Amino acid sequence: MSYISLFAANYTLPSTKLTKSLISFNHDHSSVTQFQNNSNNRRNLPLLQVASIPYPPVNVDYLEREFSGHGVTFAELGDSCVVRMGLESGSMATLMLPSGLVTSYKVPMWHGGTLEMLHTTVSEGENGGGKIQGGVSLAVKCGSEDGFSWSPNTWALTGVTGDPQDSIEVELISSDSEGMVEVKYKVNLQQDVLTSELAITNSKTSSIRVTGSVVTHLTISTPDATYVIGLEGSNFFNRPPFLSNYSIIPPNWSQDKGRGYKQLWGQTSLNKFLSNWVVSEANEEDSTIGKEVEGEESDNYKHLTEEMSNIYTNAPRNFTIIDRGRRNSIVVGRNGFEELYMFSPGSTHEWYGKYAYVCLGPSAMLTPIVIRPEDTWSGGQHLHNPSL
C-alpha cells in the first residue's frame, strides 16, 4: 500500500556508516557522560528567522560554546546533532537536531538501575542512509481557508536552562517562511518527568486551524503483558493509525484488519484547505473506507493484546500504562489537547522486537484547534516515572 504523507519523508542519515554509528549510540545510552555545570545563566541565540526549509548542517562547535553546561552536551552525527540531557539522579533524555525527535528517555528504577521508556528503531533507508522511527515527535499541521498550509518539521535551538541537580529545559523554535506562524517547543527533563510542551503563535490576520498529535512510542515487552488503567467511560472513535514522519506501523496491519484507507484521519470538512492529509490508493469501492466506530471504553484495566487504533474524545488528563513483562509503569498526562490518540500493533509480534510498543499522545485529529489572529495556544504531554 502506498501513502502520500502529510509530512516530509522520514528523517534519514546520509550513509550506512552513520546508520551503524547511531545504532551503536542507541545501545550505549547507559554510559552517561559526566555532565558539566559551568554556568547557571541562560544563554540564548540571537532571534533567528527559521524557515520551513532544510537547514544547513548543524554547527555543533557553536552549540557547544553557547549552550554546554547545565547538564547538556552535544555530539555531531553526520549533518545532525545529538543533544543529551542528564540529571545526577540518573534521568536522561536525548533529542536530535534539526529534526526535534526525542530518541531516548531513561529513568531510574526501584531496583537501582535505569530503564528506557521510549521505543526507537534505526533501519536502512533509501540510498543506504539510516531511517529513524519512533521516539517522541511533534506531528502537527497548520492551515487556513486562504490556502495557508505549513508543518514545523525542522527546529533551531534557542535556549538551554537548568542544572543537572534539579531539571533541564531545551527550547527549540520553528516558523513558516513568512514568519507568520511560530512554534516554540520545550523539552523539559525533571527527576521523574519528561515534558514536551509546544506554544503556537498566529501572527496572521486570519485564524488558523491546527491538527495533529504529539506522537509517542513507549517501549514495552509485548502488548500481551501491557495494560492501560484509567480509561473506563471514555468515548472513542476507532480510526486507522496515524502515519507521521516517525510512525512505526506494521506493514501488514491494514491487510490483516481488512481495512482500506481513503483518508487516514481527519474530518472531511477539512479537505478544502488540508488537502495533503495522509491518503492511500485503496479501492474506493471497499465498504470499510471512511468507516469509523464510536464507542465507550468499558474496561478500566484495558488489555492491549488485540490490535487497536482509537481516538478518545473525553479521556482523563492522566492515565497509567503498566507493563508486567518489564515490571514497570508510566503515567501519561496531557494539557491543552482535548483528544487522546492510542495505537497498539497487537501481541502477534516478537517480544521486545520492533513492534513491541504502544503509540499514543495528546491530539487534535477529529476537531482542529482554532488559533485566532495575534493569539497563542499551548499544549503538551507529560511522561511521569512513578518508580521514584
Side-chain angles (χ1 to χ4, degrees), residues 104-169:
S104 176
Y105 172 40
K106 284 194 172 184
V107 300
M109 298 299 294
W110 51 270
H111 48 64
T114 59
L115 191 65
E116 177 61 67
M117 305 306 294
L118 300 183
H119 189 78
T120 306
T121 66
V122 182
S123 59
E124 186 171 347
E126 298 179 0
N127 303 319
K131 182 172 68 175
I132 308 173
Q133 294 174 289
V136 179
S137 61
L138 292 184
V140 298
K141 190 177 186 72
C142 305
S144 63
E145 295 183 351
D146 60 9
F148 173 77
S149 180
W150 171 75
S151 298
N153 292 320
T154 48
W155 301 87
L157 179 65
T158 60
V160 176
T161 59
D163 59 70
Q165 291 80 35
D166 186 24
S167 67
I168 303 168
E169 183 171 277

Coordinates of all heavy atoms in Angstrom, one line a residue, residues 104-169:
S104 N 15.3 9.1 23.2 CA 15.6 8.3 24.4 C 15.1 9.1 25.6 O 15.2 10.3 25.7 CB 17.1 8.0 24.5 OG 17.3 7.3 25.8
Y105 N 14.5 8.3 26.5 CA 14.1 8.8 27.9 C 14.4 7.7 28.8 O 13.6 6.7 28.9 CB 12.7 9.3 27.9 CG 12.2 9.6 29.3 CD1 13.0 10.3 30.2 CD2 10.9 9.3 29.7 CE1 12.6 10.7 31.5 CE2 10.4 9.7 31.0 CZ 11.3 10.3 31.9 OH 10.8 10.7 33.1
K106 N 15.5 7.8 29.6 CA 15.8 6.7 30.6 C 15.5 7.2 32.0 O 15.8 8.4 32.3 CB 17.3 6.3 30.5 CG 17.6 5.5 29.2 CD 18.9 4.8 29.3 CE 19.1 3.8 28.2 NZ 20.4 3.1 28.3
V107 N 15.0 6.3 32.8 CA 14.6 6.7 34.1 C 15.2 5.7 35.2 O 15.4 4.5 34.9 CB 13.0 6.6 34.3 CG1 12.4 7.6 33.3 CG2 12.5 5.2 34.1
P108 N 15.5 6.2 36.4 CA 16.0 5.3 37.4 C 14.8 4.5 38.0 O 13.7 5.0 38.1 CB 16.5 6.3 38.5 CG 15.8 7.6 38.2 CD 15.5 7.6 36.7
M109 N 15.1 3.2 38.3 CA 14.1 2.3 38.7 C 14.3 1.9 40.2 O 15.3 2.2 40.8 CB 14.1 1.1 37.8 CG 13.8 1.4 36.4 SD 12.1 2.1 36.2 CE 11.1 0.7 36.7
W110 N 13.3 1.3 40.7 CA 13.3 0.8 42.1 C 14.4 -0.2 42.4 O 14.8 -0.3 43.6 CB 11.9 0.2 42.5 CG 11.5 -0.9 41.5 CD1 10.8 -0.8 40.3 CD2 11.9 -2.3 41.5 NE1 10.7 -2.0 39.7 CE2 11.3 -2.9 40.4 CE3 12.6 -3.1 42.5 CZ2 11.4 -4.3 40.1 CZ3 12.7 -4.4 42.2 CH2 12.1 -5.0 41.1
H111 N 14.9 -0.9 41.4 CA 15.9 -1.9 41.6 C 17.3 -1.3 41.5 O 18.3 -2.0 41.7 CB 15.8 -3.0 40.6 CG 15.6 -2.6 39.2 ND1 16.6 -1.9 38.5 CD2 14.6 -2.7 38.3 CE1 16.1 -1.6 37.3 NE2 14.9 -2.1 37.1
G112 N 17.4 0.0 41.3 CA 18.7 0.7 41.3 C 19.3 0.9 39.9 O 20.3 1.7 39.8
G113 N 18.8 0.3 38.9 CA 19.2 0.5 37.5 C 18.4 1.6 36.8 O 17.6 2.3 37.4
T114 N 18.6 1.7 35.5 CA 17.8 2.6 34.7 C 17.1 1.8 33.6 O 17.5 0.7 33.2 CB 18.7 3.7 34.0 OG1 19.7 3.0 33.2 CG2 19.4 4.6 35.1
L115 N 16.0 2.4 33.1 CA 15.2 1.7 32.1 C 14.8 2.7 31.0 O 14.4 3.8 31.3 CB 13.9 1.1 32.8 CG 13.0 0.2 32.0 CD1 13.8 -1.1 31.7 CD2 11.7 -0.2 32.7
E116 N 14.9 2.2 29.8 CA 14.5 3.0 28.6 C 13.0 3.0 28.5 O 12.4 1.9 28.5 CB 15.2 2.5 27.4 CG 14.8 3.2 26.1 CD 15.1 4.7 26.1 OE1 16.3 5.0 26.1 OE2 14.2 5.5 26.1
M117 N 12.4 4.1 28.3 CA 10.9 4.2 28.2 C 10.4 4.4 26.8 O 9.3 4.1 26.5 CB 10.4 5.4 29.1 CG 10.8 5.3 30.5 SD 10.4 3.8 31.4 CE 8.6 3.8 31.3
L118 N 11.3 4.9 25.9 CA 10.9 5.2 24.5 C 11.3 4.1 23.6 O 12.4 3.4 23.8 CB 11.4 6.5 24.0 CG 11.0 7.7 24.8 CD1 11.6 9.0 24.2 CD2 9.5 7.8 24.9
H119 N 10.6 3.9 22.5 CA 10.8 2.9 21.5 C 11.3 3.6 20.2 O 10.5 4.3 19.6 CB 9.6 2.0 21.3 CG 9.8 0.8 20.4 ND1 10.4 -0.3 20.9 CD2 9.5 0.6 19.1 CE1 10.4 -1.2 19.9 NE2 9.9 -0.7 18.8
T120 N 12.6 3.3 19.9 CA 13.1 4.0 18.7 C 13.8 2.9 17.9 O 14.6 2.1 18.4 CB 14.1 5.1 19.1 OG1 13.5 6.0 19.9 CG2 14.6 5.8 17.8
T121 N 13.6 2.9 16.6 CA 14.3 1.9 15.7 C 15.1 2.7 14.7 O 14.8 3.8 14.3 CB 13.3 1.0 15.0 OG1 12.5 1.8 14.1 CG2 12.4 0.3 16.0
V122 N 16.2 2.1 14.2 CA 17.0 2.6 13.2 C 17.2 1.5 12.1 O 17.6 0.4 12.4 CB 18.4 3.0 13.7 CG1 19.3 3.6 12.6 CG2 18.3 4.0 14.8
S123 N 16.8 1.8 10.9 CA 16.9 0.8 9.8 C 17.5 1.5 8.6 O 17.6 2.8 8.6 CB 15.5 0.3 9.5 OG 14.6 1.3 9.1
E124 N 17.9 0.7 7.6 CA 18.5 1.3 6.4 C 17.4 1.9 5.5 O 16.4 1.3 5.2 CB 19.2 0.2 5.6 CG 20.0 0.8 4.4 CD 20.9 -0.2 3.8 OE1 21.1 -1.3 4.5 OE2 21.4 0.0 2.7
G125 N 17.6 3.2 5.2 CA 16.6 3.8 4.4 C 17.0 3.9 2.9 O 17.9 3.1 2.5
E126 N 16.4 4.8 2.2 CA 16.8 5.0 0.8 C 18.3 5.5 0.6 O 18.8 6.2 1.5 CB 15.9 6.0 0.1 CG 14.4 5.5 0.1 CD 13.5 6.6 -0.5 OE1 14.0 7.6 -1.0 OE2 12.3 6.3 -0.6
N127 N 18.9 5.0 -0.4 CA 20.3 5.4 -0.7 C 21.3 5.0 0.4 O 22.3 5.7 0.5 CB 20.4 7.0 -1.0 CG 19.4 7.4 -2.1 OD1 19.3 6.8 -3.1 ND2 18.8 8.6 -1.8
G128 N 20.9 4.0 1.1 CA 21.8 3.5 2.1 C 21.9 4.3 3.4 O 22.7 4.0 4.3
G129 N 21.0 5.3 3.5 CA 21.0 6.1 4.7 C 20.3 5.4 5.8 O 19.6 4.4 5.6
G130 N 20.4 5.9 7.0 CA 19.7 5.4 8.2 C 18.4 6.1 8.4 O 18.3 7.3 8.5
K131 N 17.3 5.3 8.6 CA 16.0 5.9 8.8 C 15.6 5.7 10.3 O 15.6 4.6 10.8 CB 14.9 5.2 8.0 CG 13.5 5.7 8.1 CD 12.6 5.2 7.1 CE 12.3 3.7 7.3 NZ 11.3 3.2 6.4
I132 N 15.3 6.8 11.0 CA 15.0 6.8 12.4 C 13.5 6.8 12.6 O 12.8 7.7 12.0 CB 15.6 7.9 13.2 CG1 17.1 8.0 12.9 CG2 15.4 7.8 14.7 CD1 17.8 9.2 13.5
Q133 N 12.9 6.0 13.4 CA 11.5 6.0 13.6 C 11.2 5.8 15.1 O 12.0 5.2 15.9 CB 10.8 4.8 12.8 CG 10.8 5.0 11.3 CD 10.2 3.8 10.6 OE1 10.8 2.8 10.6 NE2 9.0 4.0 10.0
G134 N 10.0 6.2 15.6 CA 9.6 6.0 17.0 C 9.9 7.3 17.8 O 9.9 8.4 17.3
G135 N 10.2 7.1 19.1 CA 10.5 8.2 20.0 C 9.3 9.1 20.2 O 8.2 8.7 20.1
V136 N 9.6 10.3 20.5 CA 8.6 11.4 20.7 C 8.8 12.4 19.6 O 9.9 13.0 19.5 CB 8.7 12.0 22.1 CG1 7.6 13.1 22.2 CG2 8.5 11.0 23.2
S137 N 7.8 12.7 18.9 CA 7.9 13.7 17.8 C 6.6 14.6 17.8 O 5.5 14.1 18.3 CB 8.1 13.1 16.5 OG 7.0 12.2 16.1
L138 N 6.7 15.8 17.2 CA 5.6 16.6 17.0 C 5.1 16.5 15.6 O 5.9 16.7 14.7 CB 5.9 18.1 17.3 CG 6.2 18.5 18.7 CD1 6.4 20.0 18.8 CD2 5.1 18.1 19.6
A139 N 3.9 16.1 15.4 CA 3.3 15.9 14.1 C 2.1 16.8 14.0 O 0.9 16.3 14.2 CB 3.0 14.4 13.8
V140 N 2.2 18.0 13.6 CA 1.1 19.0 13.6 C 1.1 19.7 12.2 O 2.2 19.9 11.6 CB 1.1 20.0 14.7 CG1 0.9 19.3 16.1 CG2 2.4 20.8 14.7
K141 N 0.0 20.1 11.8 CA -0.1 20.9 10.6 C -1.0 22.1 10.8 O -2.1 22.0 11.4 CB -0.7 20.0 9.4 CG -0.7 20.7 8.1 CD -1.2 19.8 7.0 CE -1.0 20.4 5.6 NZ 0.4 20.3 5.2
C142 N -0.5 23.2 10.4 CA -1.3 24.5 10.5 C -1.9 24.9 9.1 O -1.1 24.8 8.1 CB -0.4 25.6 11.0 SG 0.5 25.3 12.5
G143 N -3.1 25.2 9.1 CA -3.7 25.5 7.8 C -4.8 26.6 8.0 O -5.3 26.8 9.1
S144 N -5.2 27.2 6.9 CA -6.3 28.2 7.0 C -7.1 28.1 5.7 O -6.6 27.6 4.7 CB -5.8 29.6 7.2 OG -4.9 30.0 6.2
E145 N -8.2 28.7 5.6 CA -9.1 28.7 4.5 C -8.5 29.5 3.3 O -9.0 29.4 2.2 CB -10.5 29.1 4.8 CG -11.2 28.2 5.8 CD -12.6 28.6 6.1 OE1 -13.0 29.7 5.7 OE2 -13.3 27.8 6.8
D146 N -7.5 30.4 3.6 CA -7.0 31.2 2.5 C -5.8 30.4 1.7 O -5.1 31.0 0.9 CB -6.4 32.5 3.0 CG -5.3 32.4 4.0 OD1 -4.9 31.2 4.3 OD2 -5.0 33.4 4.7
G147 N -5.7 29.2 2.0 CA -4.7 28.3 1.3 C -3.4 28.1 2.1 O -2.5 27.4 1.6
F148 N -3.2 28.8 3.2 CA -2.0 28.6 4.0 C -1.9 27.2 4.5 O -2.9 26.6 5.1 CB -2.0 29.6 5.2 CG -0.9 29.4 6.1 CD1 0.4 29.8 5.8 CD2 -1.1 28.8 7.4 CE1 1.5 29.6 6.7 CE2 -0.1 28.6 8.3 CZ 1.2 29.0 7.9
S149 N -0.7 26.6 4.4 CA -0.5 25.2 4.9 C 0.9 25.0 5.2 O 1.8 25.3 4.4 CB -1.0 24.2 3.8 OG -0.7 22.9 4.3
W150 N 1.2 24.6 6.5 CA 2.6 24.5 6.9 C 2.7 23.6 8.1 O 1.8 23.5 8.9 CB 3.2 25.9 7.3 CG 4.5 25.9 8.0 CD1 5.7 25.6 7.4 CD2 4.8 26.0 9.4 NE1 6.7 25.7 8.3 CE2 6.2 25.9 9.5 CE3 4.0 26.3 10.5 CZ2 6.8 26.0 10.8 CZ3 4.6 26.4 11.7 CH2 6.0 26.3 11.9
S151 N 3.8 22.9 8.2 CA 4.1 22.0 9.3 C 5.5 22.2 9.8 O 6.5 22.4 9.0 CB 4.0 20.5 8.9 OG 2.7 20.2 8.4
P152 N 5.7 22.3 11.1 CA 7.1 22.5 11.7 C 7.9 21.2 11.7 O 7.7 20.4 12.6 CB 6.8 23.0 13.1 CG 5.4 22.4 13.4 CD 4.7 22.3 12.1
N153 N 8.7 21.0 10.7 CA 9.5 19.8 10.6 C 11.0 20.0 11.0 O 11.6 19.0 11.2 CB 9.4 19.3 9.1 CG 8.0 18.8 8.7 OD1 7.4 18.2 9.5 ND2 7.6 19.1 7.5
T154 N 11.5 21.2 11.0 CA 12.9 21.4 11.3 C 12.9 22.5 12.4 O 12.1 23.4 12.4 CB 13.7 21.9 10.1 OG1 13.0 23.0 9.4 CG2 13.9 20.8 9.1
W155 N 13.9 22.3 13.3 CA 14.0 23.1 14.5 C 15.3 23.7 14.7 O 16.3 23.1 14.4 CB 13.6 22.3 15.7 CG 12.2 21.7 15.6 CD1 11.9 20.5 15.0 CD2 11.0 22.3 16.1 NE1 10.5 20.3 15.1 CE2 10.0 21.4 15.7 CE3 10.7 23.4 16.8 CZ2 8.6 21.6 16.0 CZ3 9.4 23.7 17.1 CH2 8.3 22.8 16.7
A156 N 15.4 24.9 15.4 CA 16.6 25.5 15.8 C 16.6 25.7 17.3 O 15.6 26.0 17.9 CB 16.8 26.9 15.1
L157 N 17.8 25.5 17.9 CA 17.9 25.6 19.3 C 18.0 27.1 19.7 O 18.8 27.8 19.1 CB 19.2 24.9 19.8 CG 19.5 24.9 21.3 CD1 18.5 24.2 22.1 CD2 20.9 24.3 21.5
T158 N 17.2 27.5 20.7 CA 17.2 28.9 21.1 C 17.6 29.1 22.6 O 17.9 30.3 23.0 CB 15.9 29.6 20.9 OG1 14.9 28.9 21.6 CG2 15.5 29.6 19.4
G159 N 17.6 28.1 23.4 CA 17.9 28.3 24.8 C 18.0 27.0 25.5 O 17.4 26.0 25.2
V160 N 18.9 27.0 26.5 CA 19.1 25.9 27.5 C 19.1 26.5 28.9 O 19.8 27.4 29.2 CB 20.3 25.1 27.2 CG1 20.5 24.0 28.3 CG2 20.3 24.5 25.8
T161 N 18.3 25.9 29.8 CA 18.3 26.4 31.2 C 18.3 25.2 32.1 O 18.0 24.1 31.7 CB 17.0 27.3 31.5 OG1 15.8 26.5 31.2 CG2 17.0 28.5 30.6
G162 N 18.6 25.5 33.4 CA 18.5 24.5 34.4 C 19.9 24.0 34.8 O 20.9 24.6 34.5
D163 N 19.9 22.9 35.6 CA 21.1 22.3 36.0 C 20.9 20.8 36.3 O 19.8 20.4 36.4 CB 21.6 23.0 37.3 CG 20.6 22.9 38.4 OD1 20.4 21.8 39.0 OD2 20.0 23.9 38.8
P164 N 22.0 20.0 36.3 CA 21.9 18.6 36.5 C 21.4 18.1 37.9 O 21.1 16.9 38.0 CB 23.3 18.0 36.2 CG 24.2 19.2 36.5 CD 23.4 20.4 36.1
Q165 N 21.3 19.0 38.8 CA 20.8 18.7 40.1 C 19.3 18.7 40.2 O 18.7 17.9 41.0 CB 21.3 19.6 41.2 CG 22.8 19.5 41.5 CD 23.7 20.2 40.5 OE1 23.3 21.3 39.9 NE2 24.8 19.7 40.1
D166 N 18.6 19.5 39.4 CA 17.2 19.6 39.5 C 16.4 19.3 38.2 O 15.7 18.3 38.1 CB 16.9 21.1 39.9 CG 15.4 21.3 40.2 OD1 14.7 20.4 40.5 OD2 15.0 22.5 40.1
S167 N 16.6 20.1 37.2 CA 15.9 20.0 35.9 C 16.6 20.7 34.8 O 17.4 21.6 35.1 CB 14.4 20.5 36.0 OG 14.4 21.9 36.2
I168 N 16.4 20.2 33.6 CA 17.0 20.8 32.4 C 15.9 21.0 31.4 O 15.1 20.2 31.1 CB 18.1 19.9 31.8 CG1 19.1 19.5 32.8 CG2 18.7 20.5 30.6 CD1 20.1 18.4 32.4
E169 N 15.9 22.2 30.7 CA 15.0 22.5 29.7 C 15.7 23.0 28.4 O 16.6 23.9 28.5 CB 14.0 23.6 30.1 CG 12.9 23.9 29.1 CD 11.8 24.8 29.7 OE1 10.9 24.2 30.3 OE2 11.9 26.0 29.5

